[in-house]
Amino acid sequence: MTLYDRRDLGLLLLRLGTGGVLAAHGAQKLFGWFGGHGIEGTGQFMESIGYRPGKVSAMAAGLAEAGGGTLLALGLATPAAGAAAAGAMAGAASVHAPNGFFNQEGGYEYAASLGLTAAGLAVTGPGRLSLDHAMGHTVDRGWMVPFAFAATGLATAVTVGLRVQRLRRQKQGQQEALFEEDLAE
């Protein structure tokens, strides 16, 4: 097995594993598969954590995960697929960030790992064992990588930024106790 064969096989394994996990998470949000809550339940959850409107947010996250994950696994439109998945995971990581890094404490470790792997695949490319390679890289051009990350980065920054603003406004509306006696009541 040559060095190139090993690299292509490694990229295939990364794409299948990461893409499969992302696609499954997206299917939970979109269809309620694998113990998920579908658009309705996920939309209510998204609304409760500050992503509004909830159903639209659930749809966007589900499509980025399911679509990006499926395309990554296939090695098709890899720059766009990886960037979309990385953006969805950045949004998820922002929700978990207050809990610290490690997943066992509810932290952002898992979302960050999936997002960084998806981003790495978008930058590296899918390898020769991919639909992009079979199609002559018509939807996997070098210029697409920075474009996909710029578009996804902008959309993610706006979405997460609006969520943070909503949460701050909500928190400002809640009066904290001024004296310890107020806490006992």
Side-chain angles (χ1 to χ4, degrees):
M1 182 178 276
T2 69
L3 178 61
Y4 290 110
D5 293 337
R6 287 178 38 217
R7 286 182 186 162
D8 292 327
L9 183 57
L11 287 169
L12 174 64
L13 293 172
L14 280 171
R15 287 193 351 260
L16 290 174
T18 304
V21 168
L22 286 163
H25 279 277
Q28 287 180 311
K29 289 172 180 65
L30 294 173
F31 310 117
W33 296 352
F34 312 116
H37 300 287
I39 292 294
E40 285 294 324
T42 303
Q44 290 172 3
F45 173 72
M46 294 291 238
E47 191 89 22
S48 76
I49 60 172
Y51 284 117
R52 294 195 179 103
K55 278 187 179 180
V56 172
S57 297
M59 181 72 73
L63 288 173
E65 291 174 10
T70 300
L71 291 173
L72 274 178
L74 295 171
L76 181 61
T78 304
M89 292 300 98
S94 74
V95 171
H96 294 280
N99 300 322
F101 178 71
F102 291 104
N103 190 50
Q104 69 194 31
E105 302 295 326
Y108 64 94
E109 169 188 20
Y110 185 63
S113 295
L114 285 173
L116 287 169
T117 304
L121 288 166
V123 171
T124 303
R128 292 184 295 175
L129 301 174
S130 66
L131 289 179
D132 276 339
H133 182 75
M135 295 172 52
H137 296 277
T138 55
V139 289
D140 177 33
R141 305 278 186 208
W143 64 266
M144 294 176 180
V145 174
F147 180 78
F149 278 107
T152 300
L154 178 63
T156 302
V158 167
T159 302
V160 171
L162 289 171
R163 175 185 176 264
V164 168
Q165 286 179 350
R166 283 185 201 102
L167 294 176
R168 281 188 185 145
R169 281 195 306 268
Q170 181 182 1
K171 189 174 184 179
Q172 288 172 349
Q174 298 172 351
Q175 178 82 25
E176 292 187 25
L178 298 176
F179 303 101
E180 286 186 36
E181 297 94 41
D182 292 342
L183 294 174
E185 295 177 358

